Amino acid sequence: MRRRNLTWTIGGSALILSGVLVMMREIALGSSLTPALAVIAELTWSVGVTVFAVGRTRYESVVARRPLGLVAILILAWWQVAARIVFDALTPSGGFATPDSVPPTYVVFGYLHLLMPLAAGIIATVQIARTRIVPSPWRWAPLWVLGLSVLVGVITQAMFATLALPQQALADVAALLGALTSLASTIGLGVLALILSERGRATSVQIFRSGQS
């Protein structure tokens, strides 16, 4: 239990740090620090999720290192980082002059970029819930966050499609909803991991004391 507490503490702290970096990026929007903060935030989140997926032992992994769940979480963790590299490699230095100049490879990877994280996220969150390493009902929390993310995406697209609000208001609402999703997947899950870690530590202490009496 003590090792799992350490794993969840490290992973949760990384998620919280990622959320803080995202907020710093929004505050510094337009400055020279923005790209660096974005990359560091992505890497920190990826490392945190990887810690939860792998753990120091099988018992510390939120999916018990089962292949399906482990692969899905690792894809989810590092997809954004890999996608950034691929898009940069496919995009010419001056950008695309016209929509017709966009190569088919870029378009195909764009669709893949929409589908792959969602598919990996569904598999990963379901596997976390089914593995039961995380105490109930909190083992469903990643799936709740994923559902929130999908819901926000659908609402945002629907607002832009129907022009329900003036354009600037739509942009503001979309930014607010995006920030809500980002905080839920970083600081929200990170704080939950720290709370569960402390709860597990308290349980370990009680068991130890009972053994001594």
Side-chain angles (χ1 to χ4, degrees):
M1 178 66 74
R2 186 176 301 172
R3 289 182 177 180
R4 190 173 72 177
N5 291 340
L6 178 61
T7 296
W8 289 8
T9 299
I10 294 173
S13 299
L15 295 187
I16 294 173
L17 177 58
S18 174
V20 172
L21 290 171
V22 169
M23 290 190 293
M24 291 175 60
R25 181 197 65 188
E26 295 300 321
I27 294 174
L29 195 63
S31 72
S32 58
L33 294 176
T34 302
L37 288 173
V39 172
I40 296 173
E42 286 179 3
L43 290 174
T44 305
W45 187 84
S46 299
V47 170
V49 173
T50 301
V51 169
F52 284 116
V54 178
R56 295 177 60 185
T57 66
R58 181 178 179 181
Y59 178 68
E60 298 171 47
S61 166
V62 292
V63 290
R65 292 185 181 174
R66 294 178 180 175
L68 180 60
L70 183 60
V71 171
I73 294 181
L74 292 179
I75 290 175
L76 182 65
W78 294 98
W79 179 264
Q80 190 64 37
V81 176
R84 180 188 292 271
I85 296 173
V86 173
F87 277 126
D88 288 344
L90 294 176
T91 306
S93 57
F96 298 109
T98 63
D100 294 334
S101 63
V102 179
T105 305
Y106 191 96
V107 176
V108 171
F109 189 77
Y111 284 116
L112 187 63
H113 183 52
L114 293 175
L115 296 176
M116 185 62 75
L118 178 59
I122 292 173
I123 294 173
T125 53
V126 169
Q127 289 299 308
I128 290 173
R130 293 185 62 186
T131 304
R132 299 177 182 270
I133 293 294
V134 180
S136 185
W138 306 116
R139 57 193 173 94
W140 297 100
L143 188 59
W144 297 340
V145 172
L146 178 63
L148 175 64
S149 177
V150 173
L151 179 62
V152 166
V154 171
I155 292 175
T156 302
Q157 292 300 320
M159 287 193 305
F160 278 105
T162 59
L163 296 177
L165 297 171
Q167 188 170 0
Q168 184 57 49
L170 284 174
D172 293 340
V173 172
L176 179 61
L177 293 175
L180 176 63
T181 304
S182 177
L183 290 177
S185 63
T186 55
I187 295 179
L189 291 179
V191 169
L192 177 60
L194 294 184
I195 292 174
L196 293 177
S197 173
E198 288 300 317
R199 183 180 297 178
R201 183 175 291 110
T203 302
S204 298
V205 171
Q206 291 176 2
I207 294 174
F208 178 73
R209 289 176 177 174
S210 299
Q212 285 186 327
S213 60

